Amino acid sequence: MDFSGWRVLREGLRGHTGWAPLWRAATPKKHYDVLIVGGGGHGLATAYYLAKYHGLTNIAVLEKNWVGGGNVGRNTTIIRSNYLLDGNQPFYELSLRLWEGIEQELNFNAMVSQRGVLNLFHSDAQRDAFRRRGNAMRMHGTDAEWLNAKAVRQMAPFLNYDNARFPIHGGLLQRRGGTVRHDAVAWGYARAASALGVDIIERCEVQGFDVTNGQVQAVETSRGRIEADRIGVAVAGYSSEVMRHANVRLPIESHVLQAFVTEGLKPLIPGVITYGAGHFYISQSDKGGLVFGGDLDGYNSYASRGNLPVVEDVCEGGMSIMPMLGRARLLRSWGGVVDMSMDGSPIIDRTQVGGLYFNGGWCYGGFKATPASGWVFAHLLARESSHPTASAYRFDRFAAGAMIDEKGQGSTPNLH
Amino acid sequence: MRIPHPILGLRDQSEFVYLGDACLLERPDGMQADALQKMTEYAYQRDNCRGLHRELWFHEQGDRAWLVVTRNTVTHEIVKVEFANEVASHD
Ligand SMILES: Cc1cc2nc3c(=O)[nH]c(=O)nc-3n(C[C@H](O)[C@H](O)[C@H](O)COP(=O)(O)OP(=O)(O)OC[C@H]3O[C@@H](n4cnc5c(N)ncnc54)[C@H](O)[C@@H]3O)c2cc1C
């Protein structure tokens, strides 16, 4: 089933009776060439790229709940590639380039909107750090613009410029950054993968691995045993829980991150704005809701809901930078369990178990990485070697002291 | 979430700072032959369990004691709170 303007028109005239489900509801086969555990954005993208570019089609994605119920459907939809470090920048730039072509690639409207991501700065030191980051981005061929206070005021006149403690001195702008409709990413990849023959198996929880002579043979699931030659795990906040079944201990803690949305308002915020002096960022969805968030709750958590101190903290941050936010009514808030790694950067690597591969440690920022993560994980699973842009995302970087720590926080996952 | 402090009673979570898994109390001996491996595990690897978790909290806005809190990471139910220095001296 192809999507086009013509098709929408035709269905509109026929009472929308011609649409079919986006993907087949598959039942597990006995054996697959590649199994992907986790039907979030990363797992689905991996399966799609494996089928499309690596000639493998005997693939299944196992999802314990339903497609889109994890962090891929809970995030605040921001995409950007404004990283500083060599290990990160080319990878996130690859992702942004893949986002730019995703709708044609998948024939699905993911509502990619490059409305710009603006990071505000409030002190001389912060300005220097942002300039350095902007320069690093440009040296990697990524767009970055430095805005002075006047230019920021033109773009976002509603911000609090006169705050004596945290005046806005300017901002680092990445115009190619923006937002993407998160659910559509999961659905689009699932649909496109399914069309290439990938089995998407929902309500199928992986509960164990069969490892014989150091080689993974099969998974035990809530729907029985499924054999596979290679298994890729991409379960985000549940990484430690799933990998424990294969005796793989990870440099990861699970934490809860909250997000908030207000009632729908008329167009107000031009892009994504982040507050440099408090933990707060905001954008406006196409439906008009102001979507915002801030810090992690800060302690290990597998509860997909947060606590009140962070609600207060985020709202204080919002009021401090954008006082008119106080007039908007909050519609909903929710949380998601995120896989915080020890240096704040992801891991895409083989494990000590033969045939078992891991993709995780995405922290609060893995949505923007979805296409590139799938791209490089598919490469790793198909060719058994790291993709060049992800060659730094290895397990051994911790022992080697080669951390990719954008924030310079050290091994404190809750502070990244 | 409120943490039942052994002396001060129920205190709001926001008075505390979180550090992480209480395994941090068991620092390996840096002079042993396998120190690199042990230190790497100590610094970077965590069990990160779903369910009961022993973890370190610092009562920064209170008596500045380090506590070992045993908490359920799914329900946030707290089943045990001890002073970290007492836990450490028992080992
Ligand atoms: C509130 C919030 C805001 C965020 N905002 C942003 C943002 O603005 N920009 C950004 O880039 N990132 C953001 N993120 C992070 C981003 O959402 C995640 O890093 C990313 O979605 C993780 O990858 P995923 O989509 O594959 O994860 P998920 O969608 O969580 O997929 C993992 C899947 O694995 C499944 N699973 C778990 N255990 C098992 C098992 N045993 N067997 C089978 N399946 C299993 C889960 O059910 C889940 O569906 C945010 C996260 C949160 C929570």
Side-chain angles (χ1 to χ4, degrees):
Chain A
M1 185 181 65
D2 250 26
F3 288 109
S4 64
W6 159 242
R7 187 74 204 263
V8 171
L9 190 69
R10 196 174 76 151
E11 289 304 328
L13 296 172
R14 293 165 76 214
H16 294 286
T17 49
W19 300 118
L22 293 181
W23 59 88
R24 292 173 292 116
T27 39
K29 287 193 279 189
K30 192 171 170 299
H31 173 271
Y32 289 94
D33 295 340
V34 182
L35 265 185
I36 306 294
V37 184
H42 293 216
L44 293 164
T46 306
Y48 169 74
Y49 291 122
L50 271 172
K52 181 80 188 276
Y53 297 105
H54 296 279
L56 290 159
T57 44
N58 187 24
I59 303 173
V61 178
L62 308 182
E63 166 53 48
K64 78 169 172 184
N65 291 322
W66 65 94
V67 161
N71 289 344
V72 71
R74 293 167 186 266
N75 62 75
T76 43
T77 79
I78 297 164
I79 62 164
R80 56 187 172 87
S81 63
N82 54 1
Y83 284 74
L84 171 73
L85 301 177
D86 286 345
N88 279 330
Q89 179 58 33
F91 173 82
Y92 287 100
E93 180 57 23
L94 169 68
S95 210
L96 198 51
R97 296 214 170 131
L98 289 169
W99 282 122
E100 285 169 336
I102 196 112
E103 287 154 338
Q104 273 62 39
E105 173 80 35
L106 302 179
N107 177 240
F108 201 79
N109 185 5
M111 294 161 71
V112 176
S113 166
Q114 294 180 291
R115 53 184 73 183
V117 173
L118 176 65
N119 304 136
L120 302 173
F121 59 80
H122 310 265
S123 67
D124 290 352
Q126 212 169 23
R127 180 201 56 217
D128 293 350
F130 279 17
R131 281 221 166 190
R132 178 172 174 228
R133 176 138 60 104
N135 286 335
M137 289 163 66
R138 293 174 75 129
M139 280 158 68
H140 278 293
T142 299
D143 69 306
E145 269 170 64
W146 191 78
L147 302 186
N148 60 20
K150 195 165 151 239
V152 173
R153 201 185 276 266
Q154 265 168 9
M155 228 177 144
F158 48 81
L159 297 176
N160 184 1
Y161 291 87
D162 306 321
N163 183 323
R165 179 68 184 85
F166 302 117
I168 297 170
H169 289 326
L172 180 66
L173 175 66
Q174 183 179 27
R175 287 195 198 272
R176 285 167 61 243
T179 56
V180 179
R181 168 91 200 272
H182 50 359
D183 305 304
V185 173
W187 302 333
Y189 274 118
R191 166 177 168 272
S194 177
L196 292 172
V198 173
D199 281 355
I200 292 168
I201 303 166
E202 293 172 272
R203 308 241 172 252
C204 180
E205 178 177 359
V206 168
Q207 295 162 337
F209 294 96
D210 174 355
V211 178
T212 314
N213 297 331
Q215 182 73 25
V216 75
Q217 313 287 331
V219 287
E220 307 294 345
T221 78
S222 52
R223 296 177 67 172
R225 178 187 157 91
I226 308 174
E227 289 168 11
D229 298 339
R230 282 172 225 166
I231 299 176
V233 175
V235 293
Y238 292 86
S239 294
S240 301
E241 284 294 303
V242 172
M243 295 307 282
R244 194 188 320 283
H245 297 309
N247 292 321
V248 177
R249 212 162 160 245
L250 299 174
I252 287 178
E253 285 180 4
S254 295
H255 285 260
V256 64
L257 179 68
Q258 305 194 52
F260 308 82
V261 65
T262 69
E263 59 193 331
L265 301 168
K266 287 190 175 169
L268 175 71
I269 301 184
V272 179
I273 299 176
T274 72
Y275 184 21
H279 295 287
F280 182 80
Y281 65 93
I282 189 163
S283 67
Q284 187 167 21
S285 80
D286 291 316
K287 280 192 289 186
L290 304 182
V291 181
F292 58 95
D295 236 352
L296 297 170
D297 274 36
Y299 43 83
N300 287 46
S301 177
Y302 282 93
S304 308
R305 59 175 193 287
N307 262 311
L308 288 172
V310 165
V311 177
E312 189 179 22
D313 184 62
V314 172
C315 293
E316 280 172 0
M319 290 301 291
S320 151
I321 187 68
M322 194 177 142
M324 72 177 178
L325 190 65
R327 307 291 298 202
R329 271 172 297 195
L330 197 63
L331 212 57
R332 278 180 287 128
S333 74
W334 64 93
V337 181
V338 294
D339 35 336
M340 298 300 300
S341 70
M342 284 290 170
D343 61 356
S345 294
I347 296 154
I348 305 174
D349 202 359
R350 66 187 75 210
T351 66
Q352 69 261 31
V353 180
L356 183 62
Y357 297 81
F358 177 73
N359 173 324
W362 291 101
C363 302
Y364 45 77
F367 176 67
K368 69 174 98 68
T370 306
S373 169
W375 186 270
V376 303
F377 200 36
H379 180 105
L380 177 65
L381 281 159
R383 309 208 187 161
E384 300 190 48
S385 68
S386 288
H387 187 276
T389 61
S391 55
Y393 295 153
R394 305 270 300 271
F395 277 113
D396 62 11
R397 71 173 185 264
F398 296 97
M403 260 66 72
I404 314 168
D405 189 345
E406 287 275 337
K407 266 201 174 176
Q409 292 284 15
S411 59
T412 42
N414 57 340
L415 298 182
H416 284 293
Chain B
M1 190 161 76
R2 283 180 295 173
I3 297 176
H5 189 290
I7 294 174
L8 302 171
L10 270 187
R11 310 301 308 176
D12 193 88
Q13 162 221 326
S14 54
E15 294 178 6
F16 296 81
V17 175
Y18 181 76
L19 184 64
D21 193 315
C23 69
L24 287 168
L25 289 173
E26 290 139 43
R27 190 187 174 88
D29 180 352
M31 300 312 285
Q32 295 299 314
D34 59 354
L36 179 61
Q37 190 212 329
K38 286 273 163 57
M39 276 293 179
T40 306
E41 284 172 18
Y42 171 79
Y44 301 112
Q45 307 217 329
R46 299 290 179 267
D47 286 339
N48 188 26
C49 31
R50 187 171 187 274
L52 288 187
H53 188 243
R54 285 179 83 232
E55 54 200 26
L56 288 164
W57 291 80
F58 177 53
H59 198 195
E60 190 182 43
Q61 308 289 321
D63 70 342
R64 303 183 72 77
W66 279 98
L67 304 178
V68 175
V69 176
T70 307
R71 180 180 61 92
N72 187 316
T73 56
V74 183
T75 61
H76 301 326
E77 184 196 6
I78 291 170
V79 297
K80 196 169 175 187
V81 180
E82 303 149 280
F83 283 115
N85 57 0
E86 286 172 13
V87 173
S89 58
H90 282 305
D91 291 341

